[in-house]
Amino acid sequence: MTTVSDFPAAAGPEADGVDAAVAAARSAQPGWDALGFAGRRKVLQAWCTLILRRSDELISLIRAETGKTADDARLEVVLVAHHLRWTATHAARVLGRRRVSPGLLMFNHSVEVTHRPLGVVGVIGPWNYPAFIPVGPVSAALAAGNTVVLKPSEQTPKTGEWLAATLAEVTGAPRVLHVVQGDGAAGAALCRAAVDKVSFTGSSATGRRVMAACAENLTPVVIEGGGKDAMVVAADADLDAAADAAVWAAMTNAGQTCVGLERVYVVGAVADRFLDLVAERTAGLRVGDGADADLGRIVLPKQLDVIAAHVRDALARGARAVVGGPHSITPPYAAPVVLADVPEDSAAVTEETFGPVLVVNRVATVDEAVARANAGSYGLGAAVFSRDRDGGRSIAARLRAGMVSVNAVIAFAGMPAVPFGGVGDSGFGRVHGPEGLREFTRTQAITSQRFRPLMHPTSFRRGPRTMPTLVRMVRTLYGR
């Protein structure tokens, strides 16, 4: 995401409010942890039920704050429920105490590994999916036994408050999810507060500021810094399916999706047909706030300038507009734009556009497509289309991305068990799935000696033959 908030260095009213919220969360954490996995599962599942019962409220609120279409808001609520339910159900299995083999050399010990909560987790959420994206780290942190302080985007403050209020209806007092409001100053205060980890979703530039602020107290972070996702279309692809998927992935939520599709590399033999199909499907999309709209408004007015600049830069460098063009930006909306033959060093290829603009470039081979897809600084999601399923997976494995869908787009976001996160400027760490649950815990190993061994190498009272004998044993076990 291209929103960049300054992170001030100092305290102030924002810091006071954040410190109070963190203190309240800290006070509530031991009791929340004491519920155990079963107790927390019951609460989180009840929260999920309440969200679904009042889903019309949440849909209306998301639409009011973001300008999404009704269907985009409905999809977001469905994802909230799907992920929340999975996290509540599977936390005990993923994080529960487990036995570990001590190995032959330490066979006289038993070992168990546990995942303990960190304490208080800070979550800084974005405006493009103001319910779904925060619910990932919030639910994982809560399921693990932490309490949470959420700072929603200043563009979508009421959605964050609604989430906290509905959870409070289920939990009662004390609250385990607190909300602090404000701009970058509030985010900076949360990073510098006495939280035990921060999960951030936003632009790569702001992610760097988050890391710098958290580094002052050695607070660990999970960073999801946006993307510039690419699709590879092989010569044997189902072009109709690939074009349909490309258009939806590029234009859903008016292109304001961190794992939205922004680049397509299609093998030359099928490039013209693919581009015709994309143009055909894109040209009929409707923009506005009516019930029949396919694309809603662009949330940030300054983002319209970014979108327009990327389109103008591409055209000035020799690209051609297959659908739309600079005239497609009519505040507060941006109509779909499809660009072809865009130079690889143009802003529309190298920078996150975060709007309904799709670049389609032809390549000679799949190898060239992979090389171009991997050339950028981002590495969040990607897609591959090929009728050869094994071949498609082989291509996917070569892509520098945290998640790849084969013969689909953004499929991973709808799968709660799948870890979500990227590499490079897209950040590090994972939310969702088992990896996302473990992000908000500290791992503790406990070994227990069951009986004394015949040899005791970890003592200065060991005999003179102990270590030579031990070396011979290791050679026998591992030296062949």
Side-chain angles (χ1 to χ4, degrees):
M1 278 150 274
T2 54
T3 306
V4 178
S5 299
D6 291 332
F7 262 51
E14 298 87 358
D16 293 341
V18 168
D19 288 343
V22 172
R26 183 77 63 192
S27 177
Q29 193 272 328
W32 177 246
D33 183 30
L35 289 178
F37 290 116
R40 294 192 294 273
R41 179 179 67 244
K42 184 177 179 180
V43 171
L44 293 176
Q45 288 178 343
W47 186 27
C48 180
T49 299
L50 181 59
I51 288 172
L52 290 174
R53 190 183 311 141
R54 295 171 55 183
S55 59
D56 287 345
E57 288 179 31
L58 183 55
I59 289 167
S60 296
L61 186 56
I62 291 171
R63 292 197 70 198
E65 291 198 306
T66 66
K68 287 179 189 277
T69 66
D71 279 350
D72 283 343
R74 291 184 185 111
L75 177 59
E76 181 166 359
V77 172
V78 167
L79 291 172
V80 166
H82 194 34
H83 282 258
L84 178 54
R85 186 78 183 193
W86 186 94
T87 302
T89 301
H90 293 276
R93 175 184 61 81
V94 174
L95 302 178
R97 181 181 287 107
R98 70 181 190 276
R99 294 285 184 179
V100 176
S101 171
L104 290 175
L105 290 178
M106 305 294 286
F107 70 96
N108 60 314
H109 289 257
S110 62
V111 187
E112 65 180 29
V113 175
T114 60
H115 295 276
R116 301 294 304 136
L118 298 170
V120 178
V121 172
V123 176
I124 301 176
W127 47 261
N128 60 327
Y129 289 88
F132 169 53
I133 291 179
V135 158
V138 166
S139 63
L142 290 172
N146 305 281
T147 50
V148 179
V149 177
L150 167 66
K151 193 207 87 67
S153 167
E154 58 270 35
Q155 305 294 327
T156 54
K158 293 181 180 179
T159 301
E161 293 284 4
W162 191 93
L163 291 171
T166 50
L167 178 57
E169 288 185 34
V170 177
T171 62
R175 286 196 174 200
V176 295
L177 172 59
H178 294 258
V179 174
V180 294
Q181 301 287 4
D183 56 13
L190 183 57
C191 290
R192 295 186 174 101
V195 294
D196 299 288
K197 193 162 192 174
V198 169
S199 175
F200 166 81
T201 302
S203 72
S204 301
T206 307
R208 290 183 175 90
R209 292 182 173 91
V210 166
M211 288 185 65
C214 288
E216 295 174 15
N217 295 319
L218 287 181
T219 302
V221 293
V222 178
I223 300 289
E224 196 266 272
K228 190 71 181 176
D229 288 13
M231 174 191 285
V232 174
V233 180
D236 68 341
D238 180 336
L239 296 183
D240 189 73
D244 186 69
V247 172
W248 182 83
M251 308 303 168
T252 186
N253 202 34
Q256 300 166 111
T257 303
C258 54
V259 287
L261 185 65
E262 297 201 5
R263 300 176 291 154
V264 177
Y265 295 107
V266 52
V267 172
V270 296
D272 288 339
R273 177 57 180 157
F274 175 81
L275 197 53
D276 287 344
L277 290 169
V278 167
E280 176 186 313
R281 283 158 176 74
T282 305
L285 297 178
R286 296 155 297 188
V287 178
D289 60 0
D292 62 345
D294 300 298
L295 282 73
R297 65 180 172 89
I298 301 299
V299 176
L300 298 180
K302 63 183 179 182
Q303 194 62 32
L304 291 163
D305 297 333
V306 174
I307 296 167
H310 284 194
V311 173
R312 288 195 301 268
D313 175 69
L315 295 176
R317 291 169 176 264
R320 54 193 179 95
V322 178
V323 174
H327 61 278
S328 299
I329 291 83
T330 55
Y333 303 105
V337 177
V338 178
L339 302 172
D341 306 322
V342 182
E344 291 294 309
D345 60 351
S346 68
V349 173
T350 61
E351 300 175 14
E352 189 177 32
T353 304
F354 222 62
V357 177
L358 180 62
V359 170
V360 180
N361 281 350
R362 67 185 66 223
V363 292
T365 64
V366 165
D367 288 344
E368 182 184 354
V370 170
R372 290 195 185 190
N374 290 343
S377 61
Y378 293 99
L380 192 54
V384 175
F385 272 79
S386 170
R387 293 183 191 273
D388 181 347
R389 293 177 61 188
D390 290 338
R393 287 194 292 266
S394 177
I395 296 168
R398 296 163 58 193
L399 291 171
R400 181 178 172 269
M403 304 84 58
V404 184
S405 295
V406 178
N407 292 327
V409 285
I410 320 180
F412 40 78
M415 303 175 185
V418 175
F420 186 103
V423 299
D425 281 358
S426 293
F428 51 84
R430 295 295 182 265
V431 296
H432 305 168
E435 289 82 357
L437 280 163
R438 296 187 190 108
E439 283 282 359
F440 302 104
T441 65
R442 57 179 176 86
T443 303
Q444 184 180 46
I446 299 175
T447 69
S448 178
Q449 183 171 267
R450 297 181 295 132
F451 56 87
R452 288 181 63 84
L454 296 176
M455 295 187 301
H456 197 36
T458 57
S459 169
F460 287 115
R461 298 175 65 187
R462 61 181 176 249
R465 300 185 59 81
T466 297
M467 296 311 296
T469 302
L470 185 61
V471 169
R472 285 196 299 272
M473 289 175 57
V474 172
R475 284 174 177 165
T476 301
L477 289 170
Y478 308 132
R480 296 178 180 178

